[in-house]
């Protein structure tokens, strides 16, 4: 009898999950009963991503239930997300406080600690806990040589929890997000928990939000657990690490650096940091704007730094994301290899950010024009948040300065409908020179319609405009328009109505254009390039 190859069976199961997984899990379970090889393929697909604990899975004898040992070999990505409301309950749920006001100590963590070394396929571990993680968790994690990705979010840290890391333990990705780092990017969708007052008044957040010792623990995690010599992707809050400490190490393979929090202070320049990262291709400076902050200067002047590093090192960057907390004057003189650029408006929740003005965008384009003299503008993806209404003049300027664009998104930070003074034809003419443009999201003004209207004229007007632009810009494959979405009695957020473009052809001759409305999407922080379907995250 012919044996089914395990790789083939796994591929078949994955296809079945795409078709049925989100709607009827019984189909996959029935498939698992066909034979041993198919069953293992089903289990490998079903249990590749798991999380624990499950509050509804427990009994009086064992307490919180854990996965059976037969499933441990299938785990690839594990999320330890301890519900933040459990420590605040009276009495605390699944944990203990040994005295009033004392720290919360979780129960049954030993079940996870025992299982971790027996997970041979584990590659990613996500940790979010409203308490100091026990040392035993880290000691168990470093016994997983397959682990490559470690993320710690909204979790208090202390330096004594750092274990002695074995030589064969090498992380490639490390993310450390401090307690209560909650930001809003633009006025678009964000995590729903930030709208609840309970998020801000949780005891552990008030206690650990400004923990001065967390900085020492984060630095130890970065350099002792992460090891700068092996890391390829680092996400870190500038509230936990200085530029001085980053320049104290060599980063020979680092490809992506994501800095969040607030603009760093110190004497070290960003140029000196990049000079220590010869393979750095992506830099995201997603700092939250503060009222008194003059702006983080990426480039102080055109001269070498005190450490004798030159601004020309910016030429190695291919992907750059910046927030409105950055001062990037003259930076684009040197980013000659840039392929992706995003400029976002970011602020601490629950406030609303102010995006760049039209004058700010013009300065960016002027700097690009100077940089263009050193070589061709290679930018293929551009995402901008702007405070002023968009007009054909801005679109034309972008098309002139960025002739190779394949994807363009211009978002009005705080969109409102209103009668447009520009004809759609003016926008299509402005983009006519962009022969490679495939995806367009733009905040064109439309007449003021109520989203809740039975006949949805706000939607019909945007569909009509999408058909017009798709007919004029024959290379477009996706087109979307901004609108103001009601999310509560007095709350709104910016959203996108987006369409895919299908072009009917007969015998090679272009025919009618058909539009297919796409589902809602968003950028879960710190993602800035490709939006994901609403409800999904990028942990």
């Amino acid at each position: 009898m012919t044996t089914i190859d395990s790789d083939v069976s796994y591929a078949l199961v994955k296809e079945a999950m795409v078709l049925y997984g989100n709607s009827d899990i019984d189909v996959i379970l029935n498939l698992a009963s066909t034979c041993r090889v198919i069953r293992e393929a089903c289990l490998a697909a079903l249990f590749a991503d798991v999380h624990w604990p499950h509050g509804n899975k427990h009994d009086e004898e064992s307490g919180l239930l854990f996965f059976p040992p037969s499933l441990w070999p299938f785990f690839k990505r594990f999320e330890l997300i301890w519900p933040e409301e459990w420590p605040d309950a009276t009495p605390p749920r699944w944990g203990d406080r040994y005295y009033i006001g004392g720290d919360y100590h979780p129960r049954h963590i030993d079940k996870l600690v025992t299982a971790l070394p027996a997970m041979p396929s584990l590659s990613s571990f996500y940790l979010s806990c409203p308490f100091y993680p026990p040392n035993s968790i880290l000691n168990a994690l470093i016994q997983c040589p397959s682990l490559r990705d470690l993320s710690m979010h909204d979790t208090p840290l202390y330096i004594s929890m750092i274990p002695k890391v074995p030589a064969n333990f090498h992380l490639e990705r490390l993310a450390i997000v401090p307690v209560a780092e909650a930001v809003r990017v633009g006025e678009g969708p964000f995590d729903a928990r930030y709208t609840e007052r309970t998020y801000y008044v949780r005891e552990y957040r008030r206690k650990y939000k400004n923990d001065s010792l967390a900085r020492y623990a984060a630095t130890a995690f970065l350099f002792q657990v992460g090891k700068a010599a092996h890391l390829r992707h680092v996400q870190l809050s500038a509230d936990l690490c200085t530029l001085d400490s980053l320049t104290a190490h060599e980063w020979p393979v680092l490809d992506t650096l994501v800095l969040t929090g607030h603009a760093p202070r110190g004497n070290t320049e960003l140029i000196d940091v990049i000079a220590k990262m010869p393979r750095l291709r992506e830099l995201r400076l997603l700092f939250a704007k503060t009222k008194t902050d003059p702006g983080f200067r990426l480039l102080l002047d055109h001269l070498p730094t005190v450490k004798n590093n030159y601004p020309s090192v910016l030429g190695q960057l291919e992907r750059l994301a910046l927030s409105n907390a950055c001062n990037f004057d003259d930076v684009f003189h040197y980013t000659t290899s840039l392929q992706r650029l995003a400029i976002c408006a970011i602020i601490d929740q629950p406030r609303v950010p102010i995006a760049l003005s039209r004058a700010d965008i013009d300065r960016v384009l002027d700097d690009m024009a100077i940089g263009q003299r050193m070589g061709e503008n290679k930018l293929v993806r551009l995402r901008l948040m702007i405070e002023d209404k968009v007009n054909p003049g801005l679109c034309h300027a972008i098309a002139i300065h960025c002739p190779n664009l394949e994807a363009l998104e211009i978002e009005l930070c705080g969109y409102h409908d209103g009668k447009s003074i520009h004809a759609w034809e003016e926008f299509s003419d402005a983009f006519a020179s962009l022969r490679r443009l495939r995806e367009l999201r733009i905040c064109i003004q439309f007449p003021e319609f109520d989203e809740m209207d039975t006949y949805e004229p706000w939607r019909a007007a945007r569909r009509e405009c999408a058909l017009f632009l798709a007919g004029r810009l024959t290379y477009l494959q996706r087109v979307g328009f901004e609108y103001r979405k009601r999310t509560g009695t007095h709350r709104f957020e910016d959203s996108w109505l987006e369409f895919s473009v299908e072009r009917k052809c007969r015998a090679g001759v272009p025919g009618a254009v058909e539009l297919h409305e796409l589902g809602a999407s968003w950028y879960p922080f710190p993602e800035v390039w490709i939006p994901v379907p609403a409800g999904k995250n990028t942990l």
Side-chain angles (χ1 to χ4, degrees):
M1 179 179 178
T2 304
T3 302
I4 301 177
D5 183 89
S6 58
D7 291 336
V8 173
S9 63
Y10 183 77
L12 291 174
V13 170
K14 291 291 286 185
E15 285 296 320
M17 289 189 69
V18 171
L19 293 173
Y20 303 105
N22 295 328
S23 58
D24 190 359
I25 196 66
D26 289 338
V27 173
I28 307 301
L29 296 177
N30 290 334
L31 191 61
S33 65
T34 55
C35 69
R36 181 183 59 81
V37 175
I38 295 293
R39 178 179 180 276
E40 289 189 357
C42 288
L43 293 177
L46 288 171
F47 293 98
D49 298 271
V50 296
H51 69 275
W52 184 83
H54 303 92
N56 60 342
K57 292 181 172 60
H58 58 86
D59 59 37
E60 292 185 5
E61 181 180 352
S62 303
L64 285 172
L65 299 179
F66 195 75
F67 302 94
S70 60
L71 296 179
W72 298 351
F74 302 115
F75 298 165
K76 292 184 177 179
R77 291 165 291 275
F78 195 103
E79 296 179 2
L80 172 58
I81 304 178
W82 202 271
E84 59 187 39
E85 65 272 13
W86 286 3
D88 290 348
T90 305
R93 293 192 63 193
W94 304 115
D96 303 287
R97 294 185 188 273
Y98 300 130
Y99 55 91
I100 297 176
D103 290 337
Y104 172 86
H105 297 272
R107 301 182 202 145
H108 309 304
I109 287 288
D110 58 299
K111 298 177 180 180
L112 170 62
V113 170
T114 301
L116 279 172
M119 300 179 188
S121 301
L122 186 67
S123 62
S124 176
F125 191 86
Y126 176 90
L127 176 69
S128 181
C129 298
F131 50 81
Y132 282 127
N135 290 21
S136 56
I137 292 181
L138 267 295
N139 287 325
L141 280 174
I142 62 175
Q143 297 178 48
C144 301
S146 61
L147 189 66
R148 292 292 177 266
D149 183 357
L150 177 60
S151 298
M152 294 173 288
H153 286 234
D154 206 21
T155 300
L157 305 175
Y158 58 99
I159 197 165
S160 61
M161 68 185 292
I162 310 297
K164 185 177 180 180
V165 180
N168 66 337
F169 183 81
H170 299 309
L171 290 176
E172 294 181 359
R173 298 172 62 97
L174 178 64
I176 305 177
V177 179
V179 173
E181 182 175 276
V183 297
R184 181 161 188 173
V185 182
E187 291 197 38
F190 56 92
D191 196 320
R193 62 180 176 160
Y194 297 149
T195 64
E196 302 295 333
R197 181 177 176 272
T198 52
Y199 176 87
Y200 304 95
V201 298
R202 290 288 183 202
E203 179 186 349
Y204 91 97
R205 289 200 179 96
R206 289 189 285 108
K207 185 175 183 179
Y208 300 119
K209 180 177 181 179
N210 297 310
D211 184 3
S212 60
L213 299 179
R215 177 183 293 268
Y216 301 104
T219 302
F221 265 104
L222 182 61
F223 298 119
Q224 295 179 33
V225 179
K227 300 177 184 178
H230 298 281
L231 287 169
R232 299 179 182 275
H233 186 289
V234 168
Q235 178 189 340
L236 187 66
S237 172
D239 297 324
L240 295 178
C241 187
T242 65
L243 297 185
D244 299 316
S245 61
L246 292 177
T247 56
H249 295 78
E250 299 291 336
W251 305 80
V253 296
L254 190 70
D255 173 86
T256 302
L257 176 63
V258 182
L259 295 180
T260 62
H262 301 91
R265 299 289 182 266
N267 299 320
T268 299
E269 295 187 38
L270 180 68
I271 298 299
D272 295 322
V273 176
I274 298 176
K276 291 283 188 174
M277 304 171 177
R279 294 192 182 181
L280 188 71
R281 297 297 178 265
E282 178 169 343
L283 177 64
R284 303 184 208 172
L285 302 179
L286 305 180
F287 304 132
K289 179 74 172 178
T290 60
K291 286 185 178 180
T292 58
D293 192 350
F296 173 68
R297 288 193 65 89
L298 276 72
L299 186 66
L300 296 185
D301 52 47
H302 300 273
L303 302 175
T305 67
V306 174
K307 297 182 179 180
N308 203 35
N309 294 310
Y310 290 79
S312 58
V313 300
L314 293 169
Q316 72 187 49
L317 296 177
E318 297 177 355
R319 303 173 296 277
L320 179 61
L322 304 170
S323 77
N324 55 332
C326 297
N327 181 328
F328 32 81
D329 289 346
D330 300 335
V331 166
F332 300 104
H333 294 183
Y334 301 97
T335 54
T336 54
S337 300
L338 209 57
Q339 298 177 14
R340 295 184 179 187
L341 173 63
I343 303 179
C344 306
I346 302 178
I347 203 166
D348 293 313
Q349 292 279 3
R351 290 173 290 170
V352 177
I354 303 299
L356 270 64
S357 67
R358 170 65 191 274
D360 294 327
I361 299 298
D362 285 340
R363 282 196 294 272
V364 170
L365 296 177
D366 290 342
D367 282 353
M368 283 185 178
I370 295 175
Q372 238 178 301
R373 299 170 189 169
M374 303 173 64
E376 181 185 10
N377 188 309
K378 300 176 182 178
L379 205 65
V380 296
R381 183 173 291 272
L382 176 61
R383 181 186 173 207
L384 298 174
M385 288 186 180
I386 189 169
E387 199 66 28
D388 303 322
K389 293 180 180 179
V390 72
N391 57 52
L394 173 61
C395 298
H396 180 71
I398 291 174
I400 293 298
H401 290 88
C402 311
N404 296 311
L405 281 181
E406 298 174 4
L408 173 62
E409 177 178 318
I410 308 176
E411 176 180 336
L412 181 60
C413 194
Y415 180 86
H416 288 280
D417 288 333
K419 186 175 181 180
S420 176
I421 61 175
H422 304 286
W424 295 345
E425 187 175 5
E426 294 182 65
F427 288 100
S428 65
D429 290 345
F431 292 129
S433 62
L434 297 178
R435 298 296 182 180
R436 300 180 182 180
L437 191 64
R438 300 293 183 269
E439 302 174 19
L440 176 64
R441 276 180 158 187
I442 188 170
C443 50
I444 291 178
Q445 292 298 118
F446 288 90
E448 187 170 355
F449 293 124
D450 186 351
E451 169 191 357
M452 304 306 293
D453 191 293
T454 304
Y455 300 101
E456 294 189 323
W458 67 275
R459 186 185 300 270
R462 286 165 173 80
R463 174 179 282 274
E464 184 181 350
C465 185
L467 273 172
F468 177 85
L469 291 182
R472 289 295 190 95
L473 306 174
T474 57
Y475 297 95
L476 272 185
Q477 297 175 355
R478 294 169 66 117
V479 59
F481 302 100
E482 196 172 1
Y483 72 97
R484 196 72 164 160
K485 179 180 179 180
R486 186 186 296 274
T487 58
T489 307
H490 302 288
R491 287 203 300 265
F492 298 85
E493 67 183 27
D494 297 336
S495 191
W496 295 94
L497 179 65
E498 195 168 10
F499 305 90
S500 65
V501 180
E502 181 182 0
R503 303 181 187 278
K504 302 289 186 178
C505 295
R506 289 186 178 180
V509 179
V513 173
E514 288 189 7
L515 299 180
H516 304 280
E517 186 174 329
L518 301 174
S521 61
W522 73 312
Y523 296 89
F525 190 81
E527 175 58 50
V528 293
W529 307 123
I530 309 296
V532 302
K536 288 189 176 181
N537 213 324
T538 56
L539 300 178

